[in-house]
Amino acid sequence: MLPLDSPRWHALEAAKGPASHFPGLLRQLREHPEDEGLWWGELWKALYHQGSTWSGSYAALPHVVEVARAHPGPVARRECVLVTGIIALDAPADVVPEEFRADYRTALVHARRLAREELMGATHDRTTYLYLLIALAGLSGWSQLGHQLEGLVRGELETECPKCGVPLVLLPEEAGVSISAEPNAALKPGARCLPVAPAPERTLPLDDGAGPLEQLLALSLHTGHSRAASWLRCLGGTASCPACAETFPVEDPGDSSR
């Protein structure tokens, strides 16, 4: 890892100039790993401001993961998984500067382990749990699955009919997912929607041998998060186009590329 006293930080990029302030911020994090305001305020803003990352972010992330591993409190573990996973989901591997790539990849391996432990062992509200699943997808290289689940969490997932090409939107519901061809269907209570047929229920092992969707589904079922499980089953199910009635599988979101 890049030492915190290295002058190299002054040449790295951050949101509003050089990353000179990163070492001080990371030292604060080491001293106060359970300070939720520090994570949500300064750290997120520094590493991932308005959906963007910089060279300083990739130099800093291994330090962030080291803090969570050394101080396994609930705030440090959760926030480390979230910030690392979301950055991994949105940033292609080839944008990581070569000088930080090895440490960054090692940090993702450790963060992925923390993510699975966090999903298995802690009690979270529904939204936090869903974002932890998204983070695990990012840390695992399952970018398509992560972005699909992220779309449902945000209220709609855009797609199109593979036969007629009409734009479609998948809409999350309390138990399941529906599909509509109407523009802005999420804002129209009376929009015509058809239910997505979920994948059949079956027992899934809690191991790394299963596919991406199956792994997240198994975690959700094991921890009793039924809404997450129902959405994931729908992502592995089939939908009918409201415009042309074509029935098609919701695209298998497995994506192991990085």
Side-chain angles (χ1 to χ4, degrees):
M1 290 188 293
L2 183 66
L4 294 183
D5 59 358
S6 170
R8 182 79 177 94
W9 291 99
H10 300 294
L12 298 179
E13 296 176 326
K16 298 180 179 179
S20 304
H21 63 296
F22 277 27
L25 181 59
L26 292 169
R27 289 189 182 98
Q28 289 183 54
L29 193 66
R30 287 181 177 182
E31 295 173 2
H32 307 286
E34 291 296 289
D35 185 342
E36 195 164 5
L38 178 61
W39 283 95
W40 271 102
E42 294 303 314
L43 193 76
W44 273 90
K45 188 186 301 182
L47 300 184
Y48 188 68
H49 184 56
Q50 296 181 347
S52 297
T53 52
W54 303 269
S55 57
S57 305
Y58 302 111
L61 271 178
H63 290 275
V64 172
V65 175
E66 184 182 59
V67 168
R69 295 179 69 208
H71 306 281
V75 173
R77 289 171 64 99
R78 182 188 70 235
E79 296 305 319
C80 169
V81 167
L82 290 173
V83 70
T84 308
I86 297 303
I87 287 176
L89 179 66
D90 288 343
D94 58 4
V95 307
V96 181
E98 181 64 34
E99 62 182 304
F100 306 128
R101 199 165 292 174
D103 288 336
Y104 175 75
R105 288 174 174 169
T106 299
L108 295 193
V109 172
H110 292 313
R112 184 179 189 274
R113 188 176 299 114
L114 291 176
R116 291 188 66 89
E117 293 173 358
E118 188 70 8
L119 284 161
M120 286 289 293
T123 301
H124 298 288
D125 63 80
R126 184 164 58 189
T127 300
T128 300
Y129 190 85
L130 286 163
Y131 273 107
L132 286 168
L133 288 176
I134 293 167
L136 177 57
L139 293 166
S140 302
W142 307 331
S143 59
Q144 186 175 343
L145 173 56
H147 285 301
Q148 287 188 324
L149 193 54
E150 187 176 38
L152 292 179
V153 171
R154 292 179 175 178
E156 64 176 26
L157 173 61
E158 295 180 354
T159 184
E160 66 177 32
C161 176
K163 181 179 180 180
C164 69
V166 166
L168 303 172
V169 62
L170 294 165
L171 303 171
E173 298 180 348
E174 187 62 32
V177 175
S178 62
I179 190 166
S180 179
E182 293 193 28
N184 301 314
L187 304 177
K188 298 178 180 178
R192 179 172 179 262
C193 299
L194 299 176
V196 172
E201 291 189 34
R202 65 184 190 278
T203 302
L204 295 167
L206 279 167
D207 58 47
D208 290 343
L213 189 148
E214 288 76 15
Q215 289 190 45
L216 297 196
L217 179 54
L219 283 167
S220 301
L221 291 171
H222 180 80
T223 52
H225 281 269
S226 57
R227 190 178 199 187
S230 70
W231 288 2
L232 288 162
R233 286 182 60 219
C234 286
L235 287 176
T238 57
S240 295
C241 175
C244 72
E246 173 75 3
T247 298
F248 56 93
V250 178
E251 185 176 0
D252 179 1
D255 180 8
S256 60
S257 62
R258 180 172 289 284

